[in-house]
Amino acid sequence: MHEMSLAEGVLQLIEDAARKDGFTKVITVWLEIGQLSGVEPEAMEFCFDAVTRDSVAQGARLEIIALPGTGWCMACGKTVPMAEVFGECPHCGGYQMQVTGGTEMRLKELEVS
Ligand SMILES: [Zn+2]
């Protein structure tokens, strides 16, 4: 489950921010997850709970914001929404798609006290 190492990466970012900004408790964490990133939101929630135990983010609420995937069709030259990495173009039905967005995962915001 690669969500575990991703969750550890998120915790790392939170702990860096805690050191820099001097907060001691995290209330809410907003995490953007692209639809084409391969990250399962449910697995992410589970792993986040596990890795934040005994950390500054213990008990924090995880809010996941799903970012839509986008791709560029080589056949018709259009940028289209994509629900899966190997999807087809909704305009021409082609499979020559280049993913252009929605593959990232990003820590968007922290609510701290
Ligand atoms: Zn197309």
Side-chain angles (χ1 to χ4, degrees):
M1 198 184 331
H2 74 145
E3 280 82 0
M4 196 56 95
S5 57
L6 291 172
E8 281 167 357
V10 171
L11 176 61
Q12 193 74 55
L13 290 174
I14 294 171
E15 287 183 331
D16 287 350
R19 224 166 296 139
K20 191 159 83 52
D21 300 337
F23 58 83
T24 52
K25 185 162 174 51
V26 180
I27 298 161
T28 314
V29 177
W30 282 270
L31 198 61
E32 287 181 337
I33 298 180
Q35 273 184 343
L36 305 180
S37 64
V39 179
E40 289 288 335
E42 295 80 26
M44 193 62 207
E45 279 172 22
F46 174 83
C47 294
F48 183 80
D49 275 352
V51 301
T52 54
R53 213 164 288 153
D54 297 324
S55 80
V56 68
Q58 176 165 17
R61 202 155 50 91
L62 182 64
E63 292 280 345
I64 291 174
I65 303 156
L67 295 182
T70 53
W72 180 75
C73 176
M74 285 185 233
C76 67
K78 284 187 175 17
T79 298
V80 296
M82 281 180 84
E84 51 187 331
V85 178
F86 298 106
E88 61 181 303
C89 174
H91 287 282
C92 70
Y95 283 91
Q96 299 279 91
M97 301 293 295
Q98 220 160 48
V99 174
T100 54
T103 58
E104 66 279 16
M105 191 191 78
R106 201 166 69 90
L107 180 61
K108 186 166 189 277
E109 210 182 318
L110 292 175
E111 182 187 5
V112 300
S113 71

